[in-house]
Amino acid sequence: MPNYINILKWPPPRILVFGFALIIVLGGFLLTLPIASNDGSRLSFIDALFTATSATCVTGLIVVDTGTYFSVFGKVIIMALIQIGGLGFMTMATLIALMLRKRISLKERLILQEAMNQSSMEGIVRLIRKVILYSLSIELAGAILYTLRFSFDMPFRRAVWFGIFHAISFFNNAGFDLFGHFRSFTMYVGDPLVNIVSMLLIILGGLGFIVMADLLEFRKNKRLSLHSKVVLSMTGILIAVGAIVIFIFEFTNSKTLGSLDWGSKIWASFFQSVTPRTAGANTLDYSQMRQATVFFTIILMFIGASPGSTGGGIKTTTFTTMIGAVIAMIRGREDIVLFKYRLGKDRIFKALTITMLSLALVIFVTMILSTTEDQQFLRILFETTSAFGTVGLSTGITPELSHVGKIVIILTMFAGRLGPLTLAYALGPKTEKELYRYPEGKITIG
């Protein structure tokens, strides 16, 4: 049995799991307070815990309507949980330590390395400073643009509040909104400014802070790292392909794209292609989409965003590595080569492990929910993948989940935010170095 008594001696993955769990429980308790609701009623603890988990894990699945149920206090708590969950509690703790001019210890650097999914500690504090600066700057710009647009539809003070909340929510890929009645951004389906600002916030939040740092320093360095090249190219491909597929599948669907003009069709197609990359907002009703579109969206949600970002999923780099492995095998090559660089075997094994663990989790949870919930299989699979990828898109079944279903989705969102591999490292026994190797054997594959 692992020793859970001395927290300071825990490995970084276990501290991350414990830290996120503690924040979720605290947020859930605050959301049960009467002051958190508009009518002064107490939200049941299971619903409060679900909402806190969804906010901290930057998912966006909701069991009560955020815009109409919660008071300003409740909405501020949700917004704070989104910010902490998106940037990571260790990043926020580092911000406080830097403001107080405290030294970042070796243990804290190791935890930051794990939280940011970095391969080494070199320059980790410098990276955290950039993360905080970039995040706050992008959120501020998004809040200003949203405020200017929303001020045409509501009083200015309310527009400012809506601008700040949605900028934080979208940049952190959370998908929470304040418009009420589970509408998300459907009323802005053809609005160019809202679509552009929303998609930019989602994409920038999903690229990862390493890529953003690379892009900002490109003028000085005149080059991008292999990681940035892979992330940018795969992100562009997924967005373009996603928009084309959704446009084709939904073009004649009168309940989604069919009733819109050409401009709105294009905006909606791109928005619905971007948002499954773990953002959770929508301008079309997913419950009215064709099954082919819903299934294709499940694939996009499973892939998710990029490492070191505010998003979830198996990540674009993992997906690219798996595709590279398939191409290399078909061509009869031993190495996976991306942009004239060969990937190490450890990267390939890690990508395979993450993909298989994630797939196993989605299948297992879908089987459980298929037993506990009276819903269509595709909707359950959609909800499960949305929870795992911390996306937040829903076909409308979340508020109808049983208590068991809600608990299962809570655990899935938690596992999706931290990653199955991190959870395995955190909860599993301490690994020991192998002292010997077995002789090589051969089996027939395929």
Side-chain angles (χ1 to χ4, degrees), residues 195-258:
N195 274 273
I196 291 171
V197 173
S198 300
M199 287 190 287
L200 282 176
L201 286 171
I202 294 166
I203 292 169
L204 290 173
L207 285 177
F209 302 110
I210 307 164
V211 178
M212 281 196 286
D214 250 11
L215 289 173
L216 288 173
E217 294 176 5
F218 180 74
R219 290 181 63 183
K220 182 176 68 175
N221 298 331
K222 300 298 181 184
R223 65 183 181 87
L224 293 174
S225 65
L226 174 62
H227 172 83
S228 295
K229 289 177 181 178
V230 170
V231 167
L232 291 169
S233 57
M234 183 51 67
T235 298
I237 290 169
L238 289 173
I239 291 172
V241 172
I244 293 169
V245 171
I246 291 169
F247 184 84
I248 292 171
F249 285 169
E250 295 297 317
F251 186 80
T252 57
N253 186 349
S254 60
K255 296 178 180 178
T256 55
L257 290 184

Side-chain angles (χ1 to χ4, degrees), residues 299-339:
I299 297 171
L300 291 179
M301 292 193 296
F302 186 74
I303 297 169
S306 302
S309 72
T310 59
I314 63 171
K315 305 297 191 293
T316 52
T317 49
T318 303
F319 180 66
T320 304
T321 303
M322 297 302 293
I323 294 294
V326 172
I327 294 172
M329 179 60 67
I330 291 173
R331 292 182 174 179
R333 296 177 178 175
E334 291 188 6
D335 297 323
I336 299 175
V337 179
L338 301 173
F339 296 98

Side-chain angles (χ1 to χ4, degrees), residues 28-82:
F29 170 73
L30 292 173
L31 291 177
T32 61
L33 300 176
I35 194 177
S37 66
N38 268 326
D39 58 4
S41 61
R42 276 185 175 272
L43 187 64
S44 67
F45 184 72
I46 185 68
D47 287 346
L49 189 66
F50 190 103
T51 305
T53 305
S54 185
T56 307
C57 297
V58 289
T59 305
L61 289 174
I62 53 175
V63 287
V64 293
D65 188 59
T66 310
T68 56
Y69 181 84
F70 291 104
S71 64
V72 173
F73 174 83
K75 292 167 185 172
V76 168
I77 294 298
I78 290 172
M79 184 172 68
L81 291 174
I82 291 170

